[in-house]
């Protein structure tokens, strides 16, 4: 068919209406009215959604009118599984929720179970927990920085950050045998001794990392492209941040000083000296600066804790408690400990009837574990209050009125890991 | 654990039966020292204590001081005092365990209670930490669910838990008008338990598929592996057949 536009128009042709390209006039007029919104599916498989996140966007040109995140593609029913597994068996499940910061997940779960049972880990174990938690925080922020910068376009940042993360994963592997799914925090402390080479490895890392982080700062802090893509983008006002229940860098980037390590100190954070960075504008750039500074403060914390505890030789586990696994040596030699070990592993310990909620300062915000116990060895209810899940709820609010190209920046700045969002 | 009255009657509405086990647990609790919220936290730090060289006598303690949130007598708890003054009929029970306070409220008053606690100028519970639910089917028949709201006060640095007991089919007022963060949290409660929230702008499933028709997974009568079969694919290369696996009654 060789008919031209002039011949087969379905609507009246307005003399003053400009003709452009191959777009038919009726469609173009409809776009002018703003009634033709494009529904764009940023599907669950997408390199910039940091996992299986689906975002359904309604676009008016390039401006987002509506944003509907769809989650649940990685829902594995961790809370339901927690009701049919013993308390010690739940800790490996927590590795897999936020898989870039597994020690922090383990820490929250172990602290919640310890609170429910009334167990206090000894001081040396508390310091080592702080060291591992802060290393995990740095590792998580490195993943965030690498992927966030990658999405925005600074491609080399991803390789730099993962290069440093390899050092941390080597430390985890030396400590507990696994790089990613560490399962390292046990109820009561640590049952295995600290490896001899571990303080040395951590000192090496502490020597290398500050300079490397300075490289990242030099690359991005004053970079005009970075600033153009992140300054003024995704502004969260302090009132909105509190209303949406945001925690972590999303809240502190808007200026609200809420860090659980300072507000309700757990482990030995009240004895260590560190600062909490706060942003002013609440945009993507401020949250970037907050997380970069959190990495530097984490280095400070690890240095202090290691200085204090490196030469220490005191017990690592609260063996006197009935809820804690018996010592390995006793299990192998004495009959009583072997019997206790058998019962502890096969049947599990029964915490007192009651409930406990523990919130820790995870790299992404407040990670909370809520246990309800009915006196048996299986929890009656296991609830993970994951920071990403709540933080992701602010995405529709941020995306309204933003440009399409900003969506990846917004998803990156909220800092989500879909394992933790979906559980 | 509930504080024991002299007659030994339990004050915790959750456990209607099986008092022997809990009596023993209560006996264990009575011998313990008062616990801290977290290891290392100092209960004495607050900005409201009166200055003075010596520790103030009990009569002089500021009733709104942070330490008052952790005393054993729950009637001294500032949030409880606020609610007794403003919404006394909303409180069903108050429980203290492990230095945490839980206020059981009537479900129809949930939003009012949360609003009062948020707007009060001394007990400013302005952070909504979590909304979840517990299916109490195995512990007490009525009410079946407990909707659990975790609140946090930035100013006082204390946590509080509100619980509202609802039955299957009862609706709970939504906290979305107070906090936008309640939106997704309540959607998850609906998705997992089937508890519907009134005035929620977007009451639909969030984690499971929109057309998931098998029920509400976190209920106690929902088996771990679900109700339906799921296919397991040919691993032993039996030709031409997709073997399905019967789920049975779950764990």
């Amino acid at each position: 068919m060789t008919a031209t536009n002039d011949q087969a128009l379905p609507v009246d042709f307005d003399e003053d209406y400009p003709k452009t390209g191959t777009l038919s006039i009726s469609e173009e007029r409809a776009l002018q009215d703003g009634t033709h919104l494009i529904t764009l599916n940023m599907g669950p498989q997408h390199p910039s959604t940091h996992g299986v996140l689906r975002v359904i966007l309604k676009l008016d040109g390039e401006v987002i009118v509506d944003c509907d995140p769809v989650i649940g593609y990685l829902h594995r029913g961790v809370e339901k599984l927690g009701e049919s597994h013993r308390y010690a068996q739940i800790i490996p499940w927590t590795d897999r929720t936020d898989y870039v910061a597994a020690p922090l997940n383990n820490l929250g779960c172990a602290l919640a179970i310890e609170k429910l049972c009334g167990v206090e880990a000894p001081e040396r174990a508390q310091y080592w927990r702080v060291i591992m938690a802060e290393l995990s925080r740095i590792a998580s922020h490195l993943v965030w920085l690498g992927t966030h910068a990658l999405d925005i376009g600074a491609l080399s940042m991803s390789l730099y950050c993962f290069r440093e993360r390899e050092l941390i994963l080597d430390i985890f592997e030396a400590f507990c045998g696994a790089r990613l799914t560490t399962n390292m925090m046990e109820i009561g402390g640590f049952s295995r001794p600290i490896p001899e080479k571990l303080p040395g490895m951590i000192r090496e890392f502490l020597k290398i990392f500050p300079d490397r982080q300075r490289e990242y700062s030099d690359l991005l802090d004053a970079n005009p492209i970075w600033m153009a893509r992140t300054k003024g983008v995704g502004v969260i006002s302090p009132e909105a941040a509190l209303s949406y229940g945001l925690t972590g860098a999303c809240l502190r980037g808007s200026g609200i000083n809420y860090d659980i390590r300072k507000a309700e100190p757990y482990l030995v954070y009240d004895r260590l000296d560190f600062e909490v960075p706060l942003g002013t504008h609440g945009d993507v750039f401020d949250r970037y600066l907050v997380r970069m500074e959190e990495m530097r403060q984490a280095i400070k914390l690890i240095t202090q804790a290691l200085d204090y505890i490196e030469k220490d030789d005191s017990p690592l586990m609260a063996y006197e408690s009935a809820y804690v696994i018996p010592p390995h040596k006793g299990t192998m030699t004495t009959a009583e400990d072997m019997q206790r070990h058998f019962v502890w592993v096969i049947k599990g310990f029964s915490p007192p009837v009651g409930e406990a909620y523990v919130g820790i300062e995870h790299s992404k915000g407040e990670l909370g574990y809520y246990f309800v116990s009915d006196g048996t060895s299986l929890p009656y209810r296991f609830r993970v209050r994951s920071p990403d899940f709540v933080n992701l709820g602010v995405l529709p609010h941020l995306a309204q009125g933003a440009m399409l190209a900003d969506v990846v920046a917004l998803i990156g700045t909220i800092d989500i890991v879909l394992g933790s969002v979906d559980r | 654990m509930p504080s024991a009255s002299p007659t030994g009657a339990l004050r915790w509405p959750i456990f209607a039966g099986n008092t022997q086990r809990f009596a023993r647990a209560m006996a264990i609790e009575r011998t313990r020292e008062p616990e801290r919220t977290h290891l290392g936290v100092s209960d004495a730090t607050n900005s409201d204590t009166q200055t003075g060289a010596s520790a103030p006598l009990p009569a002089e303690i500021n009733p709104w001081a942070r330490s008052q949130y952790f005393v054993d007598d729950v009637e001294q708890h500032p949030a409880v005092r606020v609610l007794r003054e403003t919404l006394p009929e909303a409180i069903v029970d108050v429980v203290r365990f492990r230095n945490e306070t839980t206020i059981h409220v009537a479900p129809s008053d949930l939003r009012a209670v949360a609003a009062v606690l948020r707007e009060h100028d001394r007990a400013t519970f302005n952070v909504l930490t979590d909304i979840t639910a517990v299916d109490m089917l195995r512990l007490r028949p009525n009410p079946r669910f407990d909707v659990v709201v975790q609140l946090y006060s930035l100013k006082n640095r204390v946590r509080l838990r509100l619980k509202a007991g609802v039955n299957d089919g009862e609706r709970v007022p939504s906290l979305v008008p107070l906090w936008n963060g309640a939106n997704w949290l309540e959607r998850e409660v609906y998705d997992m338990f089937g508890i519907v929230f009134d005035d929620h702008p977007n009451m639909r499933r969030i984690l499971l598929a929109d057309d998931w028709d098998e029920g509400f997974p976190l209920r106690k009568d929902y088996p771990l592996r679900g109700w339906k079969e799921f296919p397991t694919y040919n691993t032993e290369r039996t030709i031409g057949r997709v073997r399905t696996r019967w789920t049975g009654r779950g764990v």
Side-chain angles (χ1 to χ4, degrees):
Chain A
M1 196 161 133
T2 56
T4 63
N5 273 351
D6 294 310
Q7 284 182 353
L9 279 175
V11 294
D12 278 345
F13 186 78
D14 188 345
E15 301 290 323
D16 303 327
Y17 209 92
K19 199 159 81 160
T20 61
T22 56
L23 203 60
S24 86
I25 298 301
S26 62
E27 281 174 35
E28 205 181 283
R29 181 176 288 164
L31 277 171
Q32 281 272 346
D33 295 340
T35 54
H36 189 96
L37 297 176
I38 305 172
T39 304
L40 183 68
N41 178 50
M42 214 166 139
Q45 292 109 344
H46 192 286
S48 296
T49 54
H50 302 274
V52 277
L53 167 69
R54 179 178 179 213
V55 185
I56 305 176
L57 299 162
K58 285 207 171 51
L59 300 169
D60 177 13
E62 206 172 318
V63 173
I64 298 171
V65 169
D66 191 20
C67 162
D68 179 24
V70 179
I71 57 174
Y73 291 94
L74 200 44
H75 178 67
R76 291 154 294 178
V78 154
E79 298 184 2
K80 183 83 177 175
L81 285 165
E83 294 172 10
S84 53
H85 289 75
R86 298 183 285 282
Y87 286 89
Q89 289 179 311
I90 294 177
I91 300 183
W93 295 119
T94 61
D95 286 331
R96 279 112 177 129
T97 50
D98 185 345
Y99 35 77
V100 304
L104 278 166
N105 296 93
N106 297 335
L107 175 66
C109 195
L111 284 177
I113 300 173
E114 286 178 2
K115 186 177 190 187
L116 184 62
C117 300
V119 176
E120 263 185 37
E123 195 201 31
R124 185 175 171 219
Q126 305 280 357
Y127 274 93
W128 276 107
R129 281 178 169 178
V130 166
I131 295 172
M132 289 297 144
E134 294 304 314
L135 278 172
S136 172
R137 191 184 312 277
I138 299 174
S140 169
H141 282 335
L142 285 171
V143 172
W144 160 79
L145 182 59
T147 52
H148 186 44
L150 182 66
D151 294 340
I152 292 186
L155 305 177
S156 37
M157 283 305 298
S158 68
L159 292 168
Y160 291 158
C161 292
F162 279 87
R163 175 189 63 182
E164 261 61 75
R165 197 175 135 81
E166 283 303 309
L167 303 174
I168 300 180
L169 295 180
D170 286 343
I171 295 172
F172 287 161
E173 192 183 9
F175 187 82
C176 65
R179 286 156 51 94
L180 211 59
T181 52
T182 52
N183 189 21
M184 65 163 66
M185 311 285 179
E186 299 172 62
I187 300 149
F190 297 106
S191 61
R192 303 294 165 107
I194 310 286
E196 291 294 330
K197 58 178 179 171
L198 197 71
M201 289 174 78
I202 301 179
R203 293 246 181 246
E204 276 297 312
F205 173 76
L206 291 175
K207 241 189 314 195
I208 297 174
F209 188 71
D211 289 330
R212 298 279 172 89
Q213 206 197 351
R214 209 165 297 133
E215 277 180 26
Y216 310 152
S217 279
D218 290 343
L219 203 57
L220 292 176
D221 271 3
N223 187 325
I225 306 175
W226 183 259
M227 293 200 284
R229 288 286 315 254
T230 56
K231 277 205 173 171
V233 173
V235 175
I236 308 179
S237 70
E239 298 78 27
L242 273 183
S243 175
Y244 278 93
L246 303 185
T247 45
C250 291
L251 185 67
R252 293 193 285 275
S254 302
I256 298 184
N257 188 357
Y258 175 37
D259 186 324
I260 301 178
R261 296 172 294 172
K262 290 284 195 195
E264 291 179 293
Y266 54 97
L267 299 179
V268 288
Y269 283 108
D270 50 349
R271 302 183 213 172
L272 299 173
D273 179 36
F274 67 104
E275 285 160 22
V276 174
L278 295 177
T280 42
H281 308 286
D283 56 6
V284 174
F285 190 70
D286 274 9
R287 288 191 283 278
Y288 154 78
L289 290 175
V290 163
R291 290 190 180 105
M292 292 291 273
E293 186 59 36
E294 277 178 10
M295 283 200 263
R296 293 185 201 108
Q297 295 300 320
I299 293 286
K300 197 168 157 191
L301 278 164
I302 300 172
T303 315
Q304 288 172 57
L306 200 58
D307 286 342
Y308 186 85
I309 210 67
E310 189 172 359
K311 300 286 185 290
D312 198 278
D313 217 359
S314 47
L316 271 175
M317 190 86 152
Y319 288 120
E320 63 277 4
S321 168
Y323 302 109
V324 166
I325 196 172
H328 186 74
K329 186 153 182 281
T331 307
M332 293 293 133
T333 51
T334 64
E336 296 83 10
D337 275 352
M338 195 182 80
Q339 287 158 12
R340 267 187 56 213
H341 179 274
F342 181 83
V343 174
W344 193 96
V345 170
I346 300 296
K347 178 170 171 268
F349 57 90
S350 304
V353 175
E355 55 193 358
Y357 176 88
V358 164
I360 64 165
E361 186 67 29
H362 187 74
S363 51
K364 299 176 168 61
E366 173 182 338
L367 173 65
Y369 284 91
Y370 173 58
F371 280 96
V372 175
S373 157
D374 58 350
T376 63
S377 55
L378 308 183
Y380 189 77
R381 173 83 169 102
F382 168 57
R383 159 77 180 164
V384 181
R385 186 264 184 213
S386 78
D388 329 40
F389 177 77
V390 183
N391 287 355
L392 191 56
V394 83
L395 184 65
H397 167 78
L398 288 182
Q400 193 107 31
M403 305 282 252
L404 177 60
D406 291 330
V407 174
V408 290
L410 297 173
I411 296 176
T413 190
I414 298 175
D415 192 9
I416 54 169
V417 166
L418 265 301
S420 182
V421 173
D422 292 340
R423 283 153 284 133
Chain B
M1 272 312 284
S3 52
S5 71
T7 60
L10 290 168
R11 281 181 51 222
W12 195 355
I14 290 179
F15 301 107
N18 213 347
T19 50
Q20 291 292 60
R21 180 166 54 148
F22 310 131
R24 195 169 63 83
M26 280 162 51
I28 295 170
E29 280 314 301
R30 238 179 269 131
T31 57
R32 280 197 206 274
E33 291 162 9
E35 282 101 8
R36 300 168 156 275
T37 46
H38 281 91
L39 186 65
V41 73
S42 170
D43 289 331
T45 56
N46 62 73
S47 52
D48 288 6
T49 44
Q50 302 175 1
T51 54
S54 57
L57 299 169
E60 292 175 22
I61 288 182
N62 182 347
W64 302 107
R66 185 171 183 262
S67 57
Q68 296 299 102
Y69 286 89
F70 300 109
V71 296
D72 279 330
D73 178 17
V74 292
E75 296 304 324
Q76 302 294 323
H77 193 277
V80 176
R81 290 207 356 258
V82 166
L83 289 175
R84 292 256 186 244
E85 284 166 29
T86 52
L87 292 166
E89 72 280 358
I91 300 184
V92 172
D93 198 7
V94 183
V95 180
R96 263 193 77 70
F97 179 68
R98 297 278 183 249
N99 241 359
E100 296 173 1
T101 309
T102 305
I103 303 180
H104 292 250
V105 298
S108 50
D109 293 320
L110 185 63
R111 193 191 302 168
V113 164
V116 159
L117 289 173
R118 187 173 79 155
E119 306 304 336
H120 193 268
D121 54 346
R122 300 309 288 260
T124 47
F125 282 95
N126 48 2
V127 179
L128 174 71
T129 297
D130 194 18
I131 304 177
T132 182
V134 185
D135 185 359
M136 306 297 285
L137 190 64
R138 289 211 308 259
L139 299 179
R140 63 161 197 243
N142 188 23
R144 178 175 178 179
F145 299 106
D146 258 349
V147 174
V148 180
V149 177
Q150 313 263 11
L151 297 175
Y152 180 77
S153 168
L154 275 182
K155 192 170 93 161
N156 300 307
R157 298 180 291 123
V158 288
R159 294 195 186 272
L160 183 68
R161 192 177 302 127
L162 299 176
K163 278 198 176 186
V166 286
N167 270 313
D168 198 2
E170 267 177 51
R171 297 163 71 102
V172 183
S174 164
L175 296 181
V176 171
L178 296 176
W179 287 281
N180 286 116
N183 194 321
W184 278 29
L185 289 165
E186 287 173 355
R187 275 179 71 186
E188 189 188 347
V189 170
Y190 166 68
D191 194 4
M192 292 289 131
F193 291 92
I195 299 171
V196 179
F197 289 84
D198 274 331
D199 306 326
H200 193 281
N202 198 7
M203 189 91 271
R204 58 191 170 102
R205 288 189 185 267
I206 187 169
L207 289 174
L208 298 172
D210 283 335
D211 56 355
W212 182 272
D213 55 358
E214 293 177 42
F216 302 105
L218 275 176
R219 292 188 172 197
K220 289 293 179 183
D221 50 359
Y222 190 98
L224 179 64
R225 293 206 176 157
W227 297 108
K228 296 197 174 153
E229 294 181 3
F230 56 91
T232 62
Y233 294 98
N234 278 326
T235 49
E236 279 108 68
R237 299 180 190 279
T238 52
I239 296 176
R241 190 163 75 101
V242 171
R243 288 160 65 229
T244 56
R245 192 156 159 218
W246 189 245
T247 60
R249 293 298 299 173
V251 172

